[in-house]
Amino acid sequence: MLIDTYGRVATDLRVSLTDRCNLRCTYCMPEEGLAWLAKPDLLTDDEIVRLVSVAVTSLGVTEVRFTGGEPLLRPGLVSIVERCAALAPRPRLSLTTNGIGLARTAGALKAAGLDRVNVSLDTLRPDVFATLTRRRRHQDVLDGLAAARAAGLTPVKVNAVLMPGHNDDEAPDLLAWALENDYELRFIEQMPLDAQHGWTRDDMITADEILASLRTRFALIPEGDAARGSAPAERWLVDGGPGRVGVIGSVTRPFCGACDRTRLTADGQVRTCLFAREESDLRGALRAGAPDEEIADLWRTAMWGKKAGSGLDDPAFLQPSRPMSAIGG
């Protein structure tokens, strides 16, 4: 198993399949994009499947989430999902995506064994979407969400970040839309993950502010810690249920004490936390011919050194050493 010195056990693996993305979200990267990883630095499809296999068969991982950048840009995605779904014990498989391209791939991903998706969508307004992402692809995301629901990739979860002066007034509208379409909405506090290091606490819409906005239209009943478990989102029943809404307060309501995640970057590094500044190289061992047990030991050692918290609750916190596109959200 992957246990740390604080007794936390990692059972949830986040795998970044690529650092590339077809959007340029203002809170993630500059308009001109980033210097992408060279292809030889990226894990191959076989290497990804092997590392996932080690995690599942030797280290107790039960859930695998494919992320990016934008994972739908990975040419071998469907095959990777299919091969991971064939592992025994079979992990639960999910995908975090911006939704562009999901309309044409949702059916194939479901057939390959993907269980569900998280789709990022911050606004219902096409013009605001274009401002936030620097791309006019709003309808493509809506089509991708509908295709995911039709394919049975449920529950379809929608991740939204509220930005001051852009969409900070949209929380109630987003929730009404999500309930109408049977999507499960999660609001996420904006985190310091932008490559240009423009994040400041003063500009962040907090979890309390999100909840206050939602309560202008909806009655919210907290599900409580027992229902939450190790999930990052606090959840509320909306108007008595069955609809729910979640809020991930990574900055103002850190949940590090219950964290059960381990992360694998697109270039084969273990990260114990999204905001960690240290990485442990598995790609080098893999390409040097290390057997599975040696790779598992390297992974165990990396996780043993996991820190107590992310540091986000420290007012002096600085941005992580690599942008989110290279790490995986």
Side-chain angles (χ1 to χ4, degrees), residues 19 58 60 103 108 120 134 138 150 152 170 191 216 253 296-297 327:
D19 60 331
S58 300
S120 299
R134 305 185 178 104
H138 189 258
E170 284 196 72
M191 295 177 283
T216 63
R253 301 182 179 195
D297 284 341
I327 300 167

Side-chain angles (χ1 to χ4, degrees), residues 11-83:
T11 58
D12 184 334
L13 170 61
R14 303 298 169 99
V15 183
S16 175
L17 298 181
T18 178
D19 60 331
R20 296 174 184 265
C21 188
N22 42 14
L23 297 180
R24 296 292 181 270
C25 296
T26 56
Y27 51 78
C28 182
M29 68 173 71
E31 186 172 5
E32 66 274 14
L34 299 168
W36 307 123
L37 292 167
K39 188 173 181 179
D41 293 335
L42 295 171
L43 293 173
T44 66
D45 292 2
D46 288 345
E47 288 170 339
I48 290 170
V49 174
R50 184 178 170 197
L51 290 175
V52 172
S53 176
V54 169
V56 169
T57 62
S58 300
L59 297 173
V61 164
T62 58
E63 297 193 28
V64 177
R65 173 88 62 87
F66 297 110
T67 70
E70 173 45 53
L72 292 181
L73 295 179
R74 179 86 186 200
L77 173 60
V78 173
S79 175
I80 290 170
V81 169
E82 185 173 34
R83 293 167 67 186

